[in-house]
Amino acid sequence: MVLFGVLVLFQTFSLPGQFAHMAQESPQDAYLRWPATVVAVFWVLCVQVVIVATWKLLSLVKSDRIFTEASLKWVDAIVWAIAAAWLVLVGVFLYVGFNADDPGLPLLLFLLTVGVSVLGLLMVVMRALLRQATTLRTDMEAVI
């Protein structure tokens, strides 16, 4: 809960303020202020979706309802949030990659893209395992 609150503060105050400061310090890059703010706030929103969905999944574990259809919608929310963040990250990577003078930032963005890809694929596998376990549990309950 504290992390979520910190992220809301970060989204509303820190990120816009940071990009405004950067625009003042580097007027030649001031045109990037609002696109960078929107992208950063969107990424934080994706993290917030993952936090809320994980929180709901943990509450389903606590109430022993994790192997139900209700849990799949929260896993789907995580998968879609990661997919949305990945899509925007690829766009940023391509934009920076085609406009960069130095290979450092494009390489960092490439590594981040690979990391988010791995995380997304891991969540797809976990979702398939949860679906399989839910089906098995439903079948076992039907037998008993």
Side-chain angles (χ1 to χ4, degrees):
M1 185 65 160
V2 173
L3 176 60
F4 192 86
V6 168
L7 288 175
V8 169
L9 289 173
F10 196 65
Q11 242 174 342
T12 54
F13 297 113
S14 183
L15 288 172
Q18 177 62 35
F19 290 117
H21 176 72
M22 288 171 64
Q24 288 175 346
E25 292 294 315
S26 301
Q28 72 276 11
D29 295 329
Y31 70 98
L32 292 173
R33 173 187 179 186
W34 290 111
T37 301
V38 168
V39 166
V41 167
F42 178 74
W43 282 335
V44 173
L45 177 66
C46 290
V47 171
Q48 288 170 325
V49 169
V50 170
I51 290 169
V52 169
T54 302
W55 189 359
K56 295 299 276 181
L57 286 168
L58 288 172
S59 68
L60 289 172
V61 168
K62 187 175 180 181
S63 63
D64 195 32
R65 293 186 4 211
I66 190 66
F67 297 115
T68 62
E69 290 293 322
S71 63
L72 291 173
K73 72 178 181 179
W74 295 109
V75 175
D76 285 342
I78 293 172
V79 169
W80 282 108
I82 292 171
W86 179 86
L87 192 61
V88 173
L89 181 58
V90 168
V92 170
F93 167 63
L94 291 173
Y95 176 80
V96 169
F98 285 119
N99 295 307
D101 302 334
D102 173 18
L105 186 57
L107 184 58
L108 177 63
L109 288 171
F110 175 74
L111 291 174
L112 283 172
T113 303
V114 170
V116 173
S117 299
V118 169
L119 182 63
L121 291 172
L122 177 64
M123 286 308 304
V124 169
V125 169
M126 297 302 286
R127 186 191 185 288
L129 290 173
L130 179 62
R131 177 167 289 291
Q132 189 175 34
T134 301
T135 302
L136 287 173
R137 184 165 184 175
T138 304
D139 291 348
M140 290 299 291
E141 288 173 353
V143 170
I144 297 176

